[in-house]
Amino acid sequence: MRTKLTKNLLLAGVLVIMGAAGAFSVDWPAASAQKDAPKEAAVKVMDESIWEQKKYTYFGADTCRQCHCQPGANKADFVKLDEYTTWRTEDKHSLAYAVLLGPRGRRMGELLAGRADYVLEEKAGCLNCHSMNYPGREGKGFKKEDGISCDGCHGPSSAYYAPHSAGGKWRTMTAEEKFALGMRDLRNPLVKARLCMSCHVGNAAEGKVVTHAMFAAGHPPLRGIELGIFNENLPKHWWDIKDVPVFKTDPALQKLYAYDTREFQNTLVAVVGSASAVAAQMNLAATRAQLPATVKSWPELSLSFFQGADNPADLWPQIAMAHSDCYACHHELVRPSWRQERGYGTTLLDGRHIHGIPGRPQMRAWSLLPFELSLQQTLDRTAYQTSSGEFQKRLAALYQTCNRSPFGVPANVQAACKNLRDWVDAIAGRQFNTARFDATDQLKLLRALCSLPESQAPDFETAQQIVAMLAVIYPEWSSRSGQGDARAAEAIQKLEEQLDSRPDQSRAQRKALILQLVQQTTKQKIDLSTPDGIRLGVFTMDLEEFRKKLFSSPTLEKLQALRDKDYEGESKVELNYAPDEFRKRLEELKSLLPRP
Amino acid sequence: MKRVTTGSLLIAAAVLAYLGFGTPGSRDAVSASQAAFAPEGIKPDVFSTAKFEGVGSCSAVACHFKAGVPGTKGSEYTTWFNHDKHARAYEVLYNQRSQRMVKLLYGAKAKAAHETELCLKCHAMLVPEQRRGERFSIEDGIGCEQCHGPAEFWLDKHYSYRWLNEMSDREKAAFGMRPLSNLLDRARLCVECHVGTEDKDVNHDLIAAGHPRLNFELASYQAIMPRHWPEGNDLARYPDFEARCWAVGQAACAEAALKLLAHRAVPSETKDKPWPEFAEYDCYACHHDLVEPSWRQKRGYGKGLPGAFPWGSWYTSMLPRALQGQAGAEDLFGLLGNIRGEMQKPLPNRGKIVASARQAAQHLQSALTSIEQAPPASAQEVRRRLLEIVQKDETLAEKGWDEGAQLYLAIAALYRGMGNLDPKLQDPILTQRIKNIVPDSNLVFPARRGLQYDSPRDYKPREFLRQLRLIESKLR
């Protein structure tokens, strides 16, 4: 497959600005405002700090609800107009704050700081992911209790609120014009990846960090994120590009939004996501390793345990544990030892091995193999060989610093992580984000995902990533090529069950619970068993009443019980994971795929 | 060598050994380092210069290679060769686990385990070529001279009338024979490998590569070791042998562990010595599956930070009992508290650890002499100590497996010690109740789904407590 740099209008703005500097990566803001660093590659379009400078404020979902909660769905235009309904009834982002008030949040507060309400305090850092925490920038209708609502992802709407609802001109504006008004271009996989991963991997500059102490106190594991499946499993309140009704007939809009009826969008998201995941992990570790640290990048500092250290670098092992491979330590000691059989260090896709001293924690590794596979399948042969060598060199430097002393020394970790991050970012921007996949490319990618070399013994999280990519790419390939096979689809579904890459098991029950509250707070008698009924119900319900009921102890406890059941199921799935069995299933799946 | 978990090994040992009676004998405490004079022609540093003659020099049929009952006079070599795992210490370096270990540790640069110096330091008698006698063979593992001292200057003397009947340990030491009848000397010998020294350090790198964790407890190891000397010798010297062996072992292990800690904390300019050294910590604090609902979170973290490293308690949890009544014990426990506090910090201050650990080891050194030299306890005294432990230390059983296992080993050792002094105080029901602790509370880790777990996931402190109450009622 060859990547094409041109003819992608969606990215035109990015390319124009970055093209001059010869780099296509996205610049990462530093944890503390370091203005001296040269930023010739900075992408102005992407530098969201301008929103802060312009004092854009975040409106609340109550404001968006005025339009985006229509009782009758919009089936033939630009957006669906029932986005609020989907978010409110199905999307866990609307409950992000509520979990802090629930039993698990309270217990975490007790364990961490001796008080249940600790998790609601600014300095604890929880609000940075569980709400939209922009002190002084709360706009019209903002409620922190609504968790992650519209503006959390789409950007602060104070400046675009009026133009975007005025109709007409708005939809013909370019992505960067909208960005200047505060709106994120979420159609761009790179932008989307950066956004989702800021919480789901972490972004210390934004105070989004799950610390080891938080995990130990009960924060559920942040599993590896595969952007494609996250995208698919999120209760979608949007149409994919190829499905937007108004694009089908308007050539001007088609050009502006890079309308493409070929099915590769999700493949693209998965491939870009695989690189973004490595970059996000490295960026997180690099930012965390930057000294002096602030409470934002080290929420740990708000705990008494971390206060009074002579030298902040002495805290590093506890800090670094948050980003180290959980399962390096957290496994039952058992003989024969699978851990020792698997060996230490890491073996790359091309067979090169990076030595890791036994017993030294290393960075979490779930993002490595998917990225390498994407690299191998997206670049041409020569480019891949060069890139693979580069990747090995940079990754080896990181291993080396963690070999020298447990968790490495902050300055060395920072240097190694930045080095890898910037390189991967450039790949993501230059090669991946502009790639176009035809059916043969997709088939090759599918087959590569199924044919892991003997040297690879993927851990549970890596296996999850592989399955997620299969689950995202297969349907697109199958529908484009017409060569799909019911048995293959079934095999993938089974893998998804075994690796738990599906949406939460409790999703339906949670929705039912929310609908009960909707029912109780709407004055009319509405049948909530149909989408139309739900839309009408959410449209007519009493918002204040709804919130009161949502935040009542019985509801919070029920929600927690559902989540706990999910976690329990997930942890069992993980315990039962066997790499050999997994490899066998992949081989079976491969035999069901045609040769390209 | 058959692989047995260290945990199950020492517990099995302790359970098995309920023996002992003897007659009081003379006392003659001397340590190798106290060897004050040197016979003509022998250097004062004889232990580090004399030649090792090899087990072949001891194994004449007329000497130590009789085919008698294990442990009887004349069958020392036979007992060692046939029953003692020390004889297989070198051989084990050829097995799959050892081969994998060096590969994991050194990658492409790995030599075979039996050629790797680090391994040979404990798994063989590693002396330089010029110190190897004609019959010496590295393949003999841990042979006679590793414990008894290099035989170059005493081999042809040690069966003489004068040697056997007139010479003191101190005099023999001047020839290079290591005194071992004194429990303190013996304990300090065993801990060299079984706890570790600066030179012989089973750190977390080695454990992660496959080496079993070291958790040594002198009394139970003594009880399980195929004895090649008459037990009466020990009892003649120490009528309360088992009880004293336990107390000496507790203090000697702690002393060695603290010296090792101090060494681990000293930065090295020549090699990258890991710090924090994970082998210092409670294994099971980190090594457990992440499973929901989490028993770990339910149990809470006390005043500590969730997710901090707790310093391992194997060598310290029973110390307060072992050192009961010793002068300066309070200072020692103050120091240990400081070490514990410092060690649970993310990156413990090396200087502080070195200073405190060395100071604590000093305290133990003087306590050890006093424990070893104390007059023998009476059967009733041992019974009272045992009862006190059973009544007051139950919180240890609840704390975790390490503490529980040490508590059990203490009870077993003191019970045997009590029997040394007055067999009538032992009774089959009581013996059975003590034995029951192990299976009832799962102190020996049971296998699950065909896998041998090295994990206290099934440990049941409540059952432990129940047995303690039963033991108490019988002991009172």
Side-chain angles (χ1 to χ4, degrees), chain B residues 101-143:
Chain B
M101 273 185 67
V102 285
K103 242 179 245 156
L104 290 174
L105 280 167
Y106 305 112
K109 285 178 263 172
K111 286 190 280 188
H114 65 272
E115 289 167 351
T116 302
E117 200 182 309
L118 182 65
C119 308
L120 291 172
K121 279 178 178 166
C122 285
H123 285 267
M125 301 185 285
L126 186 65
V127 288
E129 210 50 57
Q130 69 270 20
R131 288 186 65 202
R132 297 178 182 184
E134 270 173 37
R135 297 181 186 209
F136 178 91
S137 165
I138 193 92
E139 294 170 7
D140 289 327
I142 301 303

Side-chain angles (χ1 to χ4, degrees), chain A residues 104 107 111-112 212-213 215-221 303 305-306 310 313-318 321 326-337 340-341 343-344 355-361 403-407 564 567-568 571-572 574-576, chain B residues 3-5 97 100 103-107 204-205 207-211 272-276 278 283-294 297-298 300-301 304-309 344-347 349 352 449-457:
Chain A
R104 187 178 283 249
R107 189 177 71 185
L111 288 173
L112 284 166
H212 186 255
F215 283 126
H219 194 291
L303 298 169
F305 182 87
F306 289 87
D310 308 334
D314 291 350
L315 301 171
W316 177 243
Q318 261 290 337
M321 264 197 285
C326 313
Y327 309 101
C329 305
H330 291 302
H331 58 81
E332 295 285 351
L333 301 173
V334 70
R335 274 164 303 118
S337 162
Q340 286 151 18
E341 269 162 31
Y344 297 86
H355 182 62
I357 296 182
R360 307 291 180 83
N403 276 346
R404 287 206 61 181
S405 59
F407 303 108
D564 287 350
Y567 300 145
E568 196 179 327
S571 76
K572 298 265 154 61
E574 183 194 312
L575 284 186
N576 291 330
Chain B
R3 289 202 304 242
V4 190
T5 52
R97 181 195 285 233
R100 190 170 64 194
K103 242 179 245 156
L104 290 174
L105 280 167
Y106 305 112
H204 189 257
D205 294 356
I207 298 171
H211 197 288
D272 296 322
K273 215 162 33 163
W275 187 258
F278 298 136
C283 309
Y284 309 115
C286 303
H287 290 302
H288 57 79
D289 278 340
L290 297 176
V291 70
E292 289 270 351
S294 160
Q297 284 151 21
K298 246 174 220 152
Y301 298 88
L305 173 83
F309 302 153
Q344 74 147 3
K345 290 183 180 168
L347 191 67
N349 181 297
K352 284 185 193 162
R449 292 190 288 181
L451 288 173
Q452 181 56 57
Y453 275 86
D454 220 339
S455 151
R457 57 192 287 161

